[in-house]
Coordinates of all heavy atoms in Angstrom, one line a residue:
I28 N 99.4 176.8 105.2 CA 100.4 176.0 104.5 C 100.6 174.7 105.3 O 100.7 174.7 106.6 CB 101.7 176.7 104.4 CG1 101.5 178.0 103.6 CG2 102.8 175.8 103.8 CD1 101.0 177.8 102.2
I29 N 100.7 173.6 104.6 CA 100.9 172.3 105.3 C 102.4 172.1 105.4 O 103.1 172.2 104.4 CB 100.3 171.1 104.5 CG1 98.8 171.3 104.4 CG2 100.6 169.8 105.1 CD1 98.1 170.3 103.5
I30 N 102.9 171.7 106.6 CA 104.3 171.5 106.9 C 104.4 170.0 107.3 O 103.7 169.5 108.2 CB 104.8 172.3 108.0 CG1 104.5 173.8 107.8 CG2 106.3 172.1 108.2 CD1 105.3 174.5 106.7
V31 N 105.3 169.3 106.6 CA 105.5 167.9 106.8 C 107.0 167.7 107.1 O 107.9 168.3 106.4 CB 105.1 167.0 105.6 CG1 105.4 165.6 105.8 CG2 103.6 167.2 105.3
G32 N 107.3 166.8 108.1 CA 108.7 166.5 108.4 C 109.4 167.4 109.3 O 108.7 168.4 109.8
S33 N 110.6 167.2 109.6 CA 111.4 168.0 110.5 C 112.8 168.1 110.1 O 113.3 167.4 109.2 CB 111.3 167.4 111.9 OG 111.9 166.1 111.9
G34 N 113.6 169.0 110.7 CA 115.0 169.2 110.4 C 115.2 169.6 108.9 O 114.4 170.3 108.3
D35 N 116.2 168.9 108.3 CA 116.5 169.3 106.9 C 115.6 168.5 105.9 O 115.9 168.6 104.7 CB 118.0 169.0 106.6 CG 118.4 167.5 106.8 OD1 117.5 166.7 107.2 OD2 119.6 167.2 106.6
K36 N 114.6 167.8 106.4 CA 113.7 167.1 105.6 C 112.3 167.8 105.5 O 111.4 167.2 104.9 CB 113.5 165.7 106.1 CG 114.7 164.8 106.2 CD 115.5 164.7 104.9 CE 116.7 163.8 105.0 NZ 117.5 163.8 103.7
V37 N 112.2 169.0 106.1 CA 110.9 169.7 106.1 C 110.5 169.9 104.7 O 111.3 170.3 103.8 CB 111.1 171.0 106.8 CG1 110.0 172.0 106.4 CG2 111.0 170.8 108.3
R38 N 109.2 169.7 104.4 CA 108.6 170.0 103.2 C 107.3 170.8 103.4 O 106.5 170.5 104.3 CB 108.2 168.7 102.4 CG 107.6 169.0 101.0 CD 107.2 167.7 100.3 NE 108.4 166.9 100.1 CZ 109.2 167.0 99.0 NH1 109.0 168.0 98.2 NH2 110.3 166.2 98.8
A39 N 107.1 171.9 102.7 CA 106.0 172.8 102.8 C 105.2 172.8 101.5 O 105.8 173.0 100.4 CB 106.4 174.2 103.3
F40 N 103.9 172.7 101.6 CA 103.1 172.8 100.3 C 101.7 173.4 100.6 O 101.2 173.4 101.7 CB 103.0 171.5 99.6 CG 102.8 170.3 100.4 CD1 101.5 170.0 100.9 CD2 103.8 169.4 100.7 CE1 101.3 168.9 101.7 CE2 103.6 168.3 101.5 CZ 102.3 168.0 102.0

Side-chain angles (χ1 to χ4, degrees):
I28 301 301
I29 298 172
I30 308 289
V31 176
S33 60
D35 62 0
K36 303 301 183 185
V37 159
R38 182 181 297 277
F40 44 76

